[in-house]
Amino acid sequence: MRRHGARPFFLFPLLLLFLLSSPAWPGTNGYLEEMKETAARRRLQDDRYWDILLFYKPAAGGRKSLVDDPKFFLAPGGKRDPGAELSATLDAMFDGSLSPPARCRFPARYEWLKETLPIDPARLPRPDCPLLDNNLRAINPKSVSLIFASGHMNAPASMFGHTFLRLDSAYESPLLSYAVNYAATINPKDSGIAYAFKGIFGYYPGYYSILPYYAKVREYANMDQRDLWEYRTNLTEAEVRRMTLHILEMEGIYADYYFLDENCSYDLLFLFEAARPSVTLTDRHKGFFVTPIDTLRSVLAEGLIDNVVFRPSTARTIRHKAAEAGEAEVVLAKSLASGDASPSDVIDGPLPAADKARVLDLASDFTRYLYLKREIPKDPYQGRYLRILAARSTVAGPPPESRPLPVPAPPESGHLVSRASLAGGARDGRPFLEVAYRPAYHSLEDPAEGFNEGSQIVFSEAAARWYPKDEKVRLQRLDLIDIVSLAPRDAFFRPVSWKVRTGFATRDFPGGVESLVYALNPGGGFAWKVSPLGIVSLLAETDLAVSGRYDRSFALAMGGSAGIARQVSDRWGVLAQARYVHGVLGDRERGRRFTASLKLPFRLSRNRSLVLEGEHADGPSVHVGTIRLTWNAYF
Amino acid sequence: MKKLFVMVAALSLIVAGSALAGGNMNTGCGLGTVIFKDVQNQSTLVQIVAATTNGTLGNQTFGITSGTSECTQPKNYVQSDRLNEFVQANMDELARDISAGKGETISTIAELMGVPSTQRDAFNANLQAHFQQIFPAPGVEFAHVVDTIVSVSNQG
């Protein structure tokens, strides 16, 4: 018995309290002291695995855990003191009075200490963990997949995507797997603006959750119309078990959730490190953002991924089935879904069996889609859906043959999201050079592979221009945000296309004067896919410009734009636009503006591109033509 | 610099997006019992933020076993809890797959019922042929679906 040794642990009054108030398992005190001594001698508190399990990261004056929940720490100062936390953890493991026992509440810490020290489990109090065992039996983890949910087509802000994990069991069907998700929990009583700021500045707690995978499939693929990419990792069963134990000890534990970095993606990286400590994932990210695609790229770079499976959203499936069917069949399927036609008419009708099956499949998919979008109430839905399916069940035999759904390029095949540009050109015959930088994310002229077609989201792009003739460098533009969402309408889906752009822009004034104005330019309208033009869009636009150069310091103009966006081949694209706005308030005269532009982007490689563009701007006493060739590097 | 980016991102949240966050666990006994999360009743802005930050409203759960206790239970309670839970939570998808005689949910219940892979085609065709028995009316509950699938496949 060496319990009276003058060791610093005993200086913690709380620890003393622990020992006094909770009579430890008879005869364990000496053993506990021995374990603590071994741990201290081997400096286990500095072991990388301890850092991983406790989310410790270097901070001013030592290390600090990213977890903010006091329940996660067994020592009072555990958030900043790995040694005290380790000592308190050992104390707790030997404390027979805790409920649930510490080894059941923190099974990953226990497993690691048991193997590393090692601890003889026979000398621990209360050796069984029924709840933990039940959970492990239900999950039965054998392997792990990283799931990437692509952006919503009509919401460029979701373009960053989302990542979560799937714990795969011995079952063949992935629907029986469990999804592990890390997300901010939002307080529904907060007002709108509060949401945005709290979400970004870490005022919402982030929690892990475990749900059946079918629930996540329904949420993303069926309701949100987001495609899922399922990346099967090569983690071994033992590694997956370690990861699962660590996930289970995070139940009900929060960390402040920061949208930009400590987000859904970043926290999953710790779980991979807990599974296989030889990989380095959480220290790879030095930038401002950690986006889900960064997570995916890190995991790929560490060689953790074996293969990938694409699970298309319902919307994509419906579009594909519609493309396979004839026009008349699409019309018929739609009227079945709206309740205007009866399924028995299809069955009694003249169509061949395969076409009947095709129409009814399309109709049931679309009926369910409308219900999930709350466009039909539950009562008519139940009856209509079941009548369509009952009719479908009478068409026996193999399902209709069709081409497999084309799988888009996977998200990691896209360009990296920061961009630096060098450009040369001439404005009304005066040559200039230009440099530009944007931290994120994707614009329509960037290489399209791996991104949603017709979606653009640009954060804070700045461009400076130099005219050698008059030795002048000027800030050409500073886009705070430039978002475009061109969502084509078709027989089934009728989305609205929209754009919003705001920031400082250069406008032309009479006498060849260029001047920086602050501009806000929202717009909304429709887009269609028209062969062979590509995505054709028509948007109504409002343009507000603020500058001392305007009468009354502002010009509000309204009008519209027409555009064509087409990917001609893997390399070439074409973007053409004509836009006219008419002054309605403020400086109405100079608010009037017509522009026509043509851009020809050319992809050199995944992370290099060229864009050749010409633009003509026309206004009161302004007729300016600009041509420019831009070289873009993505990193 | 970081502050600027943060501001920009904050602004973008305010202006961007129209996606909705999705639904939660299915708790109910019949067709169409998806729970629409409260988020869809919130203002557009709230929905946008939820979709963008991948946030969720309400409590996060460790829903490892959900149970089916609020529903009428199948008579043939010989099948596993897993089968009951799965059928209850996936009624609509299962109805669609049985009507077509193929699909992911029908393969899943075949696996849960221990149907050997060589007999899967027959299993699927048999369920398809009995669709109207398995799903006789819009108000059908999951207990009836499980019972009928079990009895129909035992005959088949």
PDB file of all heavy atoms in Angstrom, chain A residues 254-283:
ATOM      1  N   TYR A 254     -21.722  17.800 -25.716  1.00  0.00           N
ATOM      2  CA  TYR A 254     -21.705  18.817 -26.766  1.00  0.00           C
ATOM      3  C   TYR A 254     -20.359  19.520 -26.885  1.00  0.00           C
ATOM      4  O   TYR A 254     -19.576  19.568 -25.939  1.00  0.00           O
ATOM      5  CB  TYR A 254     -22.800  19.872 -26.537  1.00  0.00           C
ATOM      6  CG  TYR A 254     -22.559  20.817 -25.382  1.00  0.00           C
ATOM      7  CD1 TYR A 254     -21.770  21.954 -25.537  1.00  0.00           C
ATOM      8  CD2 TYR A 254     -23.135  20.571 -24.140  1.00  0.00           C
ATOM      9  CE1 TYR A 254     -21.547  22.818 -24.475  1.00  0.00           C
ATOM     10  CE2 TYR A 254     -22.910  21.433 -23.075  1.00  0.00           C
ATOM     11  CZ  TYR A 254     -22.116  22.555 -23.249  1.00  0.00           C
ATOM     12  OH  TYR A 254     -21.887  23.401 -22.207  1.00  0.00           O
ATOM     13  N   ALA A 255     -20.120  20.032 -28.082  1.00  0.00           N
ATOM     14  CA  ALA A 255     -19.014  20.957 -28.320  1.00  0.00           C
ATOM     15  C   ALA A 255     -19.628  22.137 -29.058  1.00  0.00           C
ATOM     16  O   ALA A 255     -20.555  21.951 -29.846  1.00  0.00           O
ATOM     17  CB  ALA A 255     -17.940  20.303 -29.164  1.00  0.00           C
ATOM     18  N   ASP A 256     -19.174  23.341 -28.787  1.00  0.00           N
ATOM     19  CA  ASP A 256     -19.737  24.480 -29.506  1.00  0.00           C
ATOM     20  C   ASP A 256     -19.497  24.287 -30.993  1.00  0.00           C
ATOM     21  O   ASP A 256     -18.406  23.932 -31.418  1.00  0.00           O
ATOM     22  CB  ASP A 256     -19.094  25.793 -29.032  1.00  0.00           C
ATOM     23  CG  ASP A 256     -19.420  26.045 -27.567  1.00  0.00           C
ATOM     24  OD1 ASP A 256     -20.414  25.474 -27.078  1.00  0.00           O
ATOM     25  OD2 ASP A 256     -18.677  26.793 -26.910  1.00  0.00           O
ATOM     26  N   TYR A 257     -20.541  24.542 -31.758  1.00  0.00           N
ATOM     27  CA  TYR A 257     -20.504  24.239 -33.180  1.00  0.00           C
ATOM     28  C   TYR A 257     -20.221  25.508 -33.974  1.00  0.00           C
ATOM     29  O   TYR A 257     -20.989  26.467 -33.923  1.00  0.00           O
ATOM     30  CB  TYR A 257     -21.864  23.669 -33.590  1.00  0.00           C
ATOM     31  CG  TYR A 257     -21.955  23.125 -34.986  1.00  0.00           C
ATOM     32  CD1 TYR A 257     -21.857  21.769 -35.230  1.00  0.00           C
ATOM     33  CD2 TYR A 257     -22.162  23.979 -36.069  1.00  0.00           C
ATOM     34  CE1 TYR A 257     -21.966  21.261 -36.511  1.00  0.00           C
ATOM     35  CE2 TYR A 257     -22.258  23.470 -37.359  1.00  0.00           C
ATOM     36  CZ  TYR A 257     -22.166  22.120 -37.554  1.00  0.00           C
ATOM     37  OH  TYR A 257     -22.270  21.612 -38.821  1.00  0.00           O
ATOM     38  N   TYR A 258     -19.131  25.519 -34.674  1.00  0.00           N
ATOM     39  CA  TYR A 258     -18.805  26.648 -35.540  1.00  0.00           C
ATOM     40  C   TYR A 258     -18.997  26.202 -36.980  1.00  0.00           C
ATOM     41  O   TYR A 258     -18.382  25.234 -37.412  1.00  0.00           O
ATOM     42  CB  TYR A 258     -17.354  27.104 -35.349  1.00  0.00           C
ATOM     43  CG  TYR A 258     -17.072  27.638 -33.968  1.00  0.00           C
ATOM     44  CD1 TYR A 258     -16.713  26.779 -32.940  1.00  0.00           C
ATOM     45  CD2 TYR A 258     -17.180  28.992 -33.697  1.00  0.00           C
ATOM     46  CE1 TYR A 258     -16.465  27.261 -31.668  1.00  0.00           C
ATOM     47  CE2 TYR A 258     -16.927  29.481 -32.435  1.00  0.00           C
ATOM     48  CZ  TYR A 258     -16.573  28.621 -31.425  1.00  0.00           C
ATOM     49  OH  TYR A 258     -16.332  29.090 -30.181  1.00  0.00           O
ATOM     50  N   PHE A 259     -19.850  26.922 -37.685  1.00  0.00           N
ATOM     51  CA  PHE A 259     -20.163  26.527 -39.056  1.00  0.00           C
ATOM     52  C   PHE A 259     -18.908  26.447 -39.927  1.00  0.00           C
ATOM     53  O   PHE A 259     -18.759  25.575 -40.766  1.00  0.00           O
ATOM     54  CB  PHE A 259     -21.159  27.518 -39.658  1.00  0.00           C
ATOM     55  CG  PHE A 259     -21.374  27.356 -41.129  1.00  0.00           C
ATOM     56  CD1 PHE A 259     -21.739  26.128 -41.655  1.00  0.00           C
ATOM     57  CD2 PHE A 259     -21.215  28.424 -41.986  1.00  0.00           C
ATOM     58  CE1 PHE A 259     -21.948  25.972 -43.007  1.00  0.00           C
ATOM     59  CE2 PHE A 259     -21.416  28.278 -43.342  1.00  0.00           C
ATOM     60  CZ  PHE A 259     -21.776  27.052 -43.852  1.00  0.00           C
ATOM     61  N   LEU A 260     -17.975  27.363 -39.687  1.00  0.00           N
ATOM     62  CA  LEU A 260     -16.846  27.451 -40.610  1.00  0.00           C
ATOM     63  C   LEU A 260     -15.768  26.405 -40.366  1.00  0.00           C
ATOM     64  O   LEU A 260     -15.182  25.896 -41.293  1.00  0.00           O
ATOM     65  CB  LEU A 260     -16.216  28.846 -40.541  1.00  0.00           C
ATOM     66  CG  LEU A 260     -17.137  29.958 -41.034  1.00  0.00           C
ATOM     67  CD1 LEU A 260     -16.430  31.286 -40.924  1.00  0.00           C
ATOM     68  CD2 LEU A 260     -17.568  29.714 -42.460  1.00  0.00           C
ATOM     69  N   ASP A 261     -15.460  26.123 -39.110  1.00  0.00           N
ATOM     70  CA  ASP A 261     -14.385  25.148 -38.925  1.00  0.00           C
ATOM     71  C   ASP A 261     -14.741  23.991 -37.984  1.00  0.00           C
ATOM     72  O   ASP A 261     -14.656  22.851 -38.385  1.00  0.00           O
ATOM     73  CB  ASP A 261     -13.068  25.821 -38.530  1.00  0.00           C
ATOM     74  CG  ASP A 261     -13.232  26.845 -37.426  1.00  0.00           C
ATOM     75  OD1 ASP A 261     -14.271  26.816 -36.743  1.00  0.00           O
ATOM     76  OD2 ASP A 261     -12.335  27.675 -37.258  1.00  0.00           O
ATOM     77  N   GLU A 262     -15.175  24.293 -36.755  1.00  0.00           N
ATOM     78  CA  GLU A 262     -15.499  23.151 -35.898  1.00  0.00           C
ATOM     79  C   GLU A 262     -16.891  22.652 -36.256  1.00  0.00           C
ATOM     80  O   GLU A 262     -17.853  22.810 -35.516  1.00  0.00           O
ATOM     81  CB  GLU A 262     -15.465  23.565 -34.416  1.00  0.00           C
ATOM     82  CG  GLU A 262     -14.076  23.581 -33.834  1.00  0.00           C
ATOM     83  CD  GLU A 262     -14.093  23.936 -32.347  1.00  0.00           C
ATOM     84  OE1 GLU A 262     -14.940  23.412 -31.616  1.00  0.00           O
ATOM     85  OE2 GLU A 262     -13.263  24.740 -31.937  1.00  0.00           O
ATOM     86  N   ASN A 263     -17.018  22.062 -37.435  1.00  0.00           N
ATOM     87  CA  ASN A 263     -18.346  21.731 -37.923  1.00  0.00           C
ATOM     88  C   ASN A 263     -18.516  20.232 -38.084  1.00  0.00           C
ATOM     89  O   ASN A 263     -17.723  19.437 -37.607  1.00  0.00           O
ATOM     90  CB  ASN A 263     -18.604  22.475 -39.231  1.00  0.00           C
ATOM     91  CG  ASN A 263     -17.522  22.180 -40.257  1.00  0.00           C
ATOM     92  OD1 ASN A 263     -16.844  21.167 -40.171  1.00  0.00           O
ATOM     93  ND2 ASN A 263     -17.365  23.059 -41.202  1.00  0.00           N
ATOM     94  N   CYS A 264     -19.574  19.885 -38.803  1.00  0.00           N
ATOM     95  CA  CYS A 264     -19.948  18.480 -38.965  1.00  0.00           C
ATOM     96  C   CYS A 264     -18.785  17.668 -39.508  1.00  0.00           C
ATOM     97  O   CYS A 264     -18.601  16.512 -39.169  1.00  0.00           O
ATOM     98  CB  CYS A 264     -21.131  18.373 -39.922  1.00  0.00           C
ATOM     99  SG  CYS A 264     -20.765  18.898 -41.601  1.00  0.00           S
ATOM    100  N   SER A 265     -18.004  18.303 -40.357  1.00  0.00           N
ATOM    101  CA  SER A 265     -16.966  17.588 -41.060  1.00  0.00           C
ATOM    102  C   SER A 265     -15.737  17.364 -40.205  1.00  0.00           C
ATOM    103  O   SER A 265     -15.184  16.288 -40.153  1.00  0.00           O
ATOM    104  CB  SER A 265     -16.521  18.445 -42.227  1.00  0.00           C
ATOM    105  OG  SER A 265     -17.161  18.030 -43.343  1.00  0.00           O
ATOM    106  N   TYR A 266     -15.341  18.438 -39.549  1.00  0.00           N
ATOM    107  CA  TYR A 266     -14.097  18.413 -38.811  1.00  0.00           C
ATOM    108  C   TYR A 266     -14.174  17.392 -37.682  1.00  0.00           C
ATOM    109  O   TYR A 266     -13.234  16.631 -37.446  1.00  0.00           O
ATOM    110  CB  TYR A 266     -13.836  19.814 -38.254  1.00  0.00           C
ATOM    111  CG  TYR A 266     -12.532  19.966 -37.524  1.00  0.00           C
ATOM    112  CD1 TYR A 266     -11.340  19.891 -38.220  1.00  0.00           C
ATOM    113  CD2 TYR A 266     -12.503  20.189 -36.158  1.00  0.00           C
ATOM    114  CE1 TYR A 266     -10.132  20.039 -37.557  1.00  0.00           C
ATOM    115  CE2 TYR A 266     -11.306  20.349 -35.491  1.00  0.00           C
ATOM    116  CZ  TYR A 266     -10.122  20.264 -36.195  1.00  0.00           C
ATOM    117  OH  TYR A 266      -8.940  20.410 -35.538  1.00  0.00           O
ATOM    118  N   ASP A 267     -15.303  17.367 -36.992  1.00  0.00           N
ATOM    119  CA  ASP A 267     -15.401  16.484 -35.842  1.00  0.00           C
ATOM    120  C   ASP A 267     -15.374  15.008 -36.213  1.00  0.00           C
ATOM    121  O   ASP A 267     -14.975  14.167 -35.414  1.00  0.00           O
ATOM    122  CB  ASP A 267     -16.641  16.832 -35.021  1.00  0.00           C
ATOM    123  CG  ASP A 267     -16.339  17.965 -34.053  1.00  0.00           C
ATOM    124  OD1 ASP A 267     -16.031  19.061 -34.537  1.00  0.00           O
ATOM    125  OD2 ASP A 267     -16.370  17.715 -32.836  1.00  0.00           O
ATOM    126  N   LEU A 268     -15.802  14.708 -37.436  1.00  0.00           N
ATOM    127  CA  LEU A 268     -15.766  13.306 -37.858  1.00  0.00           C
ATOM    128  C   LEU A 268     -14.329  12.814 -37.994  1.00  0.00           C
ATOM    129  O   LEU A 268     -14.042  11.634 -37.837  1.00  0.00           O
ATOM    130  CB  LEU A 268     -16.490  13.123 -39.195  1.00  0.00           C
ATOM    131  CG  LEU A 268     -17.996  13.346 -39.185  1.00  0.00           C
ATOM    132  CD1 LEU A 268     -18.558  13.045 -40.560  1.00  0.00           C
ATOM    133  CD2 LEU A 268     -18.687  12.483 -38.139  1.00  0.00           C
ATOM    134  N   LEU A 269     -13.415  13.756 -38.276  1.00  0.00           N
ATOM    135  CA  LEU A 269     -12.019  13.366 -38.474  1.00  0.00           C
ATOM    136  C   LEU A 269     -11.438  12.755 -37.197  1.00  0.00           C
ATOM    137  O   LEU A 269     -10.612  11.853 -37.250  1.00  0.00           O
ATOM    138  CB  LEU A 269     -11.193  14.567 -38.924  1.00  0.00           C
ATOM    139  CG  LEU A 269     -11.611  15.151 -40.275  1.00  0.00           C
ATOM    140  CD1 LEU A 269     -10.783  16.385 -40.598  1.00  0.00           C
ATOM    141  CD2 LEU A 269     -11.467  14.122 -41.388  1.00  0.00           C
ATOM    142  N   PHE A 270     -11.885  13.272 -36.044  1.00  0.00           N
ATOM    143  CA  PHE A 270     -11.411  12.705 -34.778  1.00  0.00           C
ATOM    144  C   PHE A 270     -11.812  11.235 -34.663  1.00  0.00           C
ATOM    145  O   PHE A 270     -11.082  10.427 -34.087  1.00  0.00           O
ATOM    146  CB  PHE A 270     -12.011  13.478 -33.594  1.00  0.00           C
ATOM    147  CG  PHE A 270     -11.330  14.787 -33.332  1.00  0.00           C
ATOM    148  CD1 PHE A 270     -11.798  15.948 -33.892  1.00  0.00           C
ATOM    149  CD2 PHE A 270     -10.217  14.839 -32.516  1.00  0.00           C
ATOM    150  CE1 PHE A 270     -11.180  17.158 -33.648  1.00  0.00           C
ATOM    151  CE2 PHE A 270      -9.580  16.047 -32.260  1.00  0.00           C
ATOM    152  CZ  PHE A 270     -10.059  17.210 -32.830  1.00  0.00           C
ATOM    153  N   LEU A 271     -12.990  10.924 -35.186  1.00  0.00           N
ATOM    154  CA  LEU A 271     -13.452   9.538 -35.080  1.00  0.00           C
ATOM    155  C   LEU A 271     -12.559   8.617 -35.897  1.00  0.00           C
ATOM    156  O   LEU A 271     -12.280   7.487 -35.487  1.00  0.00           O
ATOM    157  CB  LEU A 271     -14.905   9.426 -35.536  1.00  0.00           C
ATOM    158  CG  LEU A 271     -15.915  10.271 -34.755  1.00  0.00           C
ATOM    159  CD1 LEU A 271     -17.325  10.045 -35.276  1.00  0.00           C
ATOM    160  CD2 LEU A 271     -15.858   9.921 -33.267  1.00  0.00           C
ATOM    161  N   PHE A 272     -12.098   9.108 -37.052  1.00  0.00           N
ATOM    162  CA  PHE A 272     -11.173   8.298 -37.854  1.00  0.00           C
ATOM    163  C   PHE A 272      -9.843   8.115 -37.120  1.00  0.00           C
ATOM    164  O   PHE A 272      -9.251   7.047 -37.150  1.00  0.00           O
ATOM    165  CB  PHE A 272     -10.920   8.945 -39.221  1.00  0.00           C
ATOM    166  CG  PHE A 272     -12.010   8.673 -40.211  1.00  0.00           C
ATOM    167  CD1 PHE A 272     -12.964   9.625 -40.488  1.00  0.00           C
ATOM    168  CD2 PHE A 272     -12.095   7.443 -40.846  1.00  0.00           C
ATOM    169  CE1 PHE A 272     -13.985   9.366 -41.389  1.00  0.00           C
ATOM    170  CE2 PHE A 272     -13.104   7.181 -41.749  1.00  0.00           C
ATOM    171  CZ  PHE A 272     -14.059   8.138 -42.022  1.00  0.00           C
ATOM    172  N   GLU A 273      -9.397   9.172 -36.472  1.00  0.00           N
ATOM    173  CA  GLU A 273      -8.146   9.052 -35.726  1.00  0.00           C
ATOM    174  C   GLU A 273      -8.308   8.104 -34.542  1.00  0.00           C
ATOM    175  O   GLU A 273      -7.378   7.378 -34.188  1.00  0.00           O
ATOM    176  CB  GLU A 273      -7.672  10.440 -35.266  1.00  0.00           C
ATOM    177  CG  GLU A 273      -7.233  11.312 -36.438  1.00  0.00           C
ATOM    178  CD  GLU A 273      -6.649  12.648 -36.007  1.00  0.00           C
ATOM    179  OE1 GLU A 273      -6.860  13.044 -34.849  1.00  0.00           O
ATOM    180  OE2 GLU A 273      -5.985  13.289 -36.843  1.00  0.00           O
ATOM    181  N   ALA A 274      -9.489   8.112 -33.922  1.00  0.00           N
ATOM    182  CA  ALA A 274      -9.725   7.176 -32.819  1.00  0.00           C
ATOM    183  C   ALA A 274      -9.695   5.742 -33.322  1.00  0.00           C
ATOM    184  O   ALA A 274      -9.267   4.825 -32.615  1.00  0.00           O
ATOM    185  CB  ALA A 274     -11.064   7.480 -32.144  1.00  0.00           C
ATOM    186  N   ALA A 275     -10.156   5.545 -34.555  1.00  0.00           N
ATOM    187  CA  ALA A 275     -10.159   4.198 -35.121  1.00  0.00           C
ATOM    188  C   ALA A 275      -8.738   3.765 -35.492  1.00  0.00           C
ATOM    189  O   ALA A 275      -8.309   2.665 -35.168  1.00  0.00           O
ATOM    190  CB  ALA A 275     -11.057   4.143 -36.348  1.00  0.00           C
ATOM    191  N   ARG A 276      -8.033   4.641 -36.192  1.00  0.00           N
ATOM    192  CA  ARG A 276      -6.689   4.311 -36.686  1.00  0.00           C
ATOM    193  C   ARG A 276      -5.769   5.482 -36.366  1.00  0.00           C
ATOM    194  O   ARG A 276      -5.628   6.415 -37.174  1.00  0.00           O
ATOM    195  CB  ARG A 276      -6.727   4.039 -38.185  1.00  0.00           C
ATOM    196  CG  ARG A 276      -5.390   3.566 -38.740  1.00  0.00           C
ATOM    197  CD  ARG A 276      -5.461   3.325 -40.240  1.00  0.00           C
ATOM    198  NE  ARG A 276      -6.271   2.166 -40.587  1.00  0.00           N
ATOM    199  CZ  ARG A 276      -6.558   1.795 -41.839  1.00  0.00           C
ATOM    200  NH1 ARG A 276      -6.105   2.492 -42.849  1.00  0.00           N
ATOM    201  NH2 ARG A 276      -7.295   0.727 -42.070  1.00  0.00           N
ATOM    202  N   PRO A 277      -5.113   5.441 -35.197  1.00  0.00           N
ATOM    203  CA  PRO A 277      -4.331   6.604 -34.763  1.00  0.00           C
ATOM    204  C   PRO A 277      -3.140   6.925 -35.663  1.00  0.00           C
ATOM    205  O   PRO A 277      -2.583   8.019 -35.563  1.00  0.00           O
ATOM    206  CB  PRO A 277      -3.869   6.224 -33.358  1.00  0.00           C
ATOM    207  CG  PRO A 277      -4.270   4.827 -33.129  1.00  0.00           C
ATOM    208  CD  PRO A 277      -5.196   4.382 -34.191  1.00  0.00           C
ATOM    209  N   SER A 278      -2.775   6.002 -36.568  1.00  0.00           N
ATOM    210  CA  SER A 278      -1.629   6.306 -37.427  1.00  0.00           C
ATOM    211  C   SER A 278      -1.969   7.331 -38.503  1.00  0.00           C
ATOM    212  O   SER A 278      -1.081   7.859 -39.162  1.00  0.00           O
ATOM    213  CB  SER A 278      -1.111   5.015 -38.072  1.00  0.00           C
ATOM    214  OG  SER A 278      -2.127   4.440 -38.860  1.00  0.00           O
ATOM    215  N   VAL A 279      -3.248   7.622 -38.710  1.00  0.00           N
ATOM    216  CA  VAL A 279      -3.577   8.638 -39.712  1.00  0.00           C
ATOM    217  C   VAL A 279      -3.632  10.022 -39.058  1.00  0.00           C
ATOM    218  O   VAL A 279      -3.962  10.149 -37.888  1.00  0.00           O
ATOM    219  CB  VAL A 279      -4.918   8.367 -40.442  1.00  0.00           C
ATOM    220  CG1 VAL A 279      -4.875   7.031 -41.164  1.00  0.00           C
ATOM    221  CG2 VAL A 279      -6.100   8.413 -39.486  1.00  0.00           C
ATOM    222  N   THR A 280      -3.248  11.023 -39.828  1.00  0.00           N
ATOM    223  CA  THR A 280      -3.283  12.395 -39.327  1.00  0.00           C
ATOM    224  C   THR A 280      -4.311  13.149 -40.140  1.00  0.00           C
ATOM    225  O   THR A 280      -4.105  13.396 -41.317  1.00  0.00           O
ATOM    226  CB  THR A 280      -1.917  13.070 -39.499  1.00  0.00           C
ATOM    227  OG1 THR A 280      -0.953  12.207 -38.913  1.00  0.00           O
ATOM    228  CG2 THR A 280      -1.889  14.414 -38.822  1.00  0.00           C
ATOM    229  N   LEU A 281      -5.411  13.470 -39.515  1.00  0.00           N
ATOM    230  CA  LEU A 281      -6.473  14.136 -40.255  1.00  0.00           C
ATOM    231  C   LEU A 281      -6.800  15.504 -39.679  1.00  0.00           C
ATOM    232  O   LEU A 281      -6.951  16.475 -40.410  1.00  0.00           O
ATOM    233  CB  LEU A 281      -7.737  13.270 -40.241  1.00  0.00           C
ATOM    234  CG  LEU A 281      -7.621  11.951 -41.007  1.00  0.00           C
ATOM    235  CD1 LEU A 281      -8.739  11.007 -40.615  1.00  0.00           C
ATOM    236  CD2 LEU A 281      -7.652  12.212 -42.500  1.00  0.00           C
ATOM    237  N   THR A 282      -6.871  15.585 -38.347  1.00  0.00           N
ATOM    238  CA  THR A 282      -7.358  16.841 -37.766  1.00  0.00           C
ATOM    239  C   THR A 282      -6.323  17.950 -37.829  1.00  0.00           C
ATOM    240  O   THR A 282      -6.651  19.105 -37.639  1.00  0.00           O
ATOM    241  CB  THR A 282      -7.786  16.647 -36.301  1.00  0.00           C
ATOM    242  OG1 THR A 282      -6.683  16.111 -35.572  1.00  0.00           O
ATOM    243  CG2 THR A 282      -8.954  15.700 -36.187  1.00  0.00           C
ATOM    244  N   ASP A 283      -5.057  17.603 -38.094  1.00  0.00           N
ATOM    245  CA  ASP A 283      -4.047  18.656 -38.176  1.00  0.00           C
ATOM    246  C   ASP A 283      -3.770  19.095 -39.606  1.00  0.00           C
ATOM    247  O   ASP A 283      -2.917  19.932 -39.856  1.00  0.00           O
ATOM    248  CB  ASP A 283      -2.734  18.199 -37.528  1.00  0.00           C
ATOM    249  CG  ASP A 283      -2.870  18.173 -36.016  1.00  0.00           C
ATOM    250  OD1 ASP A 283      -3.703  18.937 -35.493  1.00  0.00           O
ATOM    251  OD2 ASP A 283      -2.174  17.377 -35.371  1.00  0.00           O
TER     252      ASP A 283
END
